[in-house]
Amino acid sequence: MRTKLLIFFLLAVLQTATVSAIIPNPSRFTHCSGEFVIDANTTLSWDEELRDAAIYLLEYLPLRHFAQTGNGTNSIRLSIDSSLPAEGCALRIDTDRITLSGGSYGGVFNGIQSLLQLLPAQVYAKSLHLPVSVGCCEAVDAPRFDYRGLSLDVARTWIPADRVKRYIDLLACHKINKLHFHLTDDEGWRIELKSHPEFARTGGFRGGDSPVHPRYAKFDEKWGGYYTQRELRDIVEYARIRNIEVIPEIDMPGHSKALGAIRHDILCDFVPDTARTNGLDIRNVWCAAKESNYALIDDIIREVSTIFTSKYIHIGGDEVDMSQWRKCPDCQRLKREKGLNSEKQIEDYFIARVTAILAKYGKVPAVWNEAVDGGTLPKATRVHGWQSIKHCLRAVEKGYPTIVMPGAYFYFDMKQSANEAGHTWAAIFDAKKVLSFDLDRNGFTERHLAKVAGLEASFFSEIYIEHSPEKSDYLDYMLFPRLCAFAEVAWSSRKRNWDDFHSSLVTDHYDRMQAMGIAFRLCTPNVKYADGMLSASTDDGAVIYYTDERNGKRTRYTAPFPCDAPEHFAFCSEYGSAGSCTTGSKEYLRMLTPQVTVTSSMTCSAKNPIENAATYSNKIARTTRAAHAGDWIAYSFAEPMSCRKIEVQTGHIHLRRCLFLAGHVEISEDGKTFVRAAELHNGGAVICPDKPLTAIRIVADGNSDAEDNVVIQSLKIK
Ligand code: TNX
């Protein structure tokens, strides 16, 4: 009787693990008959060098019995099998045991990730209760590339250590094994140096009394942070346990304004033109001629090499403003003395000097693709090709080991659809495009592929700061599920089909991401208006909501409804912690383009003339100086204009920069008398006029931000 009861009880509490699609998909996966039950008596054992991996597994799987050796029944065994590729793994689930072997620690770690994905999703919430059954199977697997990375920009927007660790965990779950840590840039210095403590203490914060000016959002406060060396070592170790190598980046010789604001002596010796910038020195390039600079770089590299275990240090080399070297008498003298033909060759000289410093500390440089345009750098230099696939091919053809990371596929700071936040310079794309990435179809032959060290996704964080970076939501939204698709393409070269991937995403991975607490992005709902009925649908089972903008009322959508003003209804979908962007029908999204003339108290450059701001396109006008209180921008319509909403914005289209920091908007019905209609917030405002308008004027109530121009955009009229 007791046995019967026990069996009944066991059956009742047994959670059945569905054999689910693993992301990234293993190269060989076979279902076998039967299942293995992991219960309170299951014993975990491991080879000595796998201790950290075993402890990691125990965070997720609450086992209580351990053995040093053993391969008995009801066991899980982790072992090294040197006949497998280094990061390869063989996972076998039999009815009486699980054996998991890998070619190295990393291989076993990858196998652990496959095993976790075969368990119910709550394993990721660390709330799995035993017993749990898992279907018998065999997965034999190895990655295509040794380098499967994410680059994270913590310079533009500060991300504290505990949140970096969270992303390390999320990368690990997707078998991504490199974190390229973008630690310095024009807007911040995030790494503590014992030899120069002021770099981080001052350069880690911008705004307020900091010499580092706020460039994007949070203009009114001193904001930021930095990692202590202890925190960085902890991150490196945390990542190592999760099979992730952390590669630090100190971006030089350009992108160094934050450091230049603290140490003016690193910059070139010419008098900066601060008249156009409300006093700000916008030099951001290390002077290549000063010997003292190489001594300072030696200090930096010496310390950075002791913190990070990676053989590589990324030293930047992107977007160097060569005009600063052109204006610098010392750099010009250097050019003559060393027989350099161009400013580009000054960059080669600079990077060669830094490479020699790295060598002194046993490190090898990684650089952005511009740095190898000249092709003179040592061939061990690892190149990150970011501008386009062509730039990656060029680096490969010059013989450099190359990390392929074209912005148009892998820059997850790009918008995912037209009406969302993000950059657009490379492309607008979602996970589907990431999954379609195929080196073979982009001109990479076998010979080229031999030089491809791997793939990297990236997130640059200029726009992040506008989205409450104190929470992870925006970063999660930009990374997932694009990063899941990236994990696939970096893992194997199999031919893929979006529908299959999407279905395993929706049926299995949504719940895993949910359990991991990720605020991932859902597909945009499809909204239609026809025959007086407004309807919406999604293909991922998420719940749809709609809001009537006239009263702010939010309602759960269940069925098409009759409606005579579809232009007021905004839709979005939700699935636990995940959400879609806000969208609507054609009518809701429709923009008006009434004929308008734009004028300003400031003159605009010939390259970006004021007429651009009247085109209702992404063309911008750019003034030739910063703004002061009283400066204005006026939009006059050819005819009185009726609309429901006008979005007024100064500054870059996708980035709050080059804007009126304080100001207001005035509107006029007759073009003569103006009334104050709104205050600017982050350089913009929304007005909902109840009468036809003839003109709109934006007036600055103070200086613009510390840039040498103001960007004027077209109005957005709905
Ligand atoms: C280009 S990636 C940059 C970054 C920006 C990024 C924005 C690279 C080498 N340079 O400085 O943050 O675009 O997408």
Side-chain angles (χ1 to χ4, degrees), residues 156 255 318-319 368 386 411 413-414 423 425 460 462:
R156 270 60 171 271
H255 285 269
D318 60 317
E319 301 176 314
W368 295 111
W386 66 280
Y411 266 41
D413 49 331
M414 297 299 137
H423 277 298
W425 69 259
F460 282 88
E462 296 97 317

Side-chain angles (χ1 to χ4, degrees), residues 126-272:
K126 302 190 178 172
S127 61
L128 191 69
H129 295 291
L130 299 181
V132 66
S133 76
V134 47
C136 293
C137 64
E138 192 178 9
V140 184
D141 208 6
R144 178 186 196 189
F145 292 115
D146 294 342
Y147 192 117
R148 307 176 300 281
L150 173 76
S151 122
L152 192 59
D153 169 12
V154 293
R156 270 60 171 271
T157 297
W158 164 239
I159 304 176
D162 56 341
R163 281 205 287 121
V164 172
K165 285 178 162 180
R166 172 174 175 267
Y167 286 107
I168 287 174
D169 270 313
L170 301 180
L171 296 182
C173 295
H174 292 86
K175 300 186 179 125
I176 291 170
N177 68 351
K178 310 281 173 190
L179 174 68
H180 167 179
F181 213 9
H182 188 76
L183 287 161
T184 73
D185 212 302
D186 288 329
E187 296 79 13
W189 180 280
R190 308 279 176 217
I191 172 170
E192 179 197 37
L193 296 182
K194 304 279 188 204
S195 56
H196 301 278
E198 73 284 6
F199 287 10
R201 270 188 224 150
T202 306
F205 301 85
R206 57 181 193 256
D209 63 0
S210 171
V212 185
H213 286 256
R215 266 185 109 191
Y216 326 109
K218 292 199 187 286
F219 295 98
D220 305 329
E221 53 185 301
K222 186 166 173 178
W223 192 82
Y226 64 89
Y227 309 109
T228 63
Q229 293 200 359
R230 182 204 279 257
E231 281 176 316
L232 288 168
R233 290 200 168 89
D234 180 46
I235 286 175
V236 170
E237 173 61 5
Y238 192 84
R240 182 197 61 78
I241 291 168
R242 287 155 183 79
N243 189 37
I244 293 175
E245 176 187 334
V246 184
I247 299 137
E249 179 180 353
I250 308 295
D251 200 348
M252 295 179 283
H255 285 269
S256 300
K257 189 161 16 178
L259 190 58
I262 304 164
R263 285 288 301 259
H264 299 287
D265 60 310
I266 70 162
L267 302 170
C268 287
D269 267 327
F270 62 87
V271 183

Side-chain angles (χ1 to χ4, degrees), residues 452-469:
V452 174
L455 308 186
E456 186 167 291
S458 76
F459 180 80
F460 282 88
S461 62
E462 296 97 317
I463 293 175
Y464 185 19
I465 192 164
E466 292 167 25
H467 294 264
S468 308

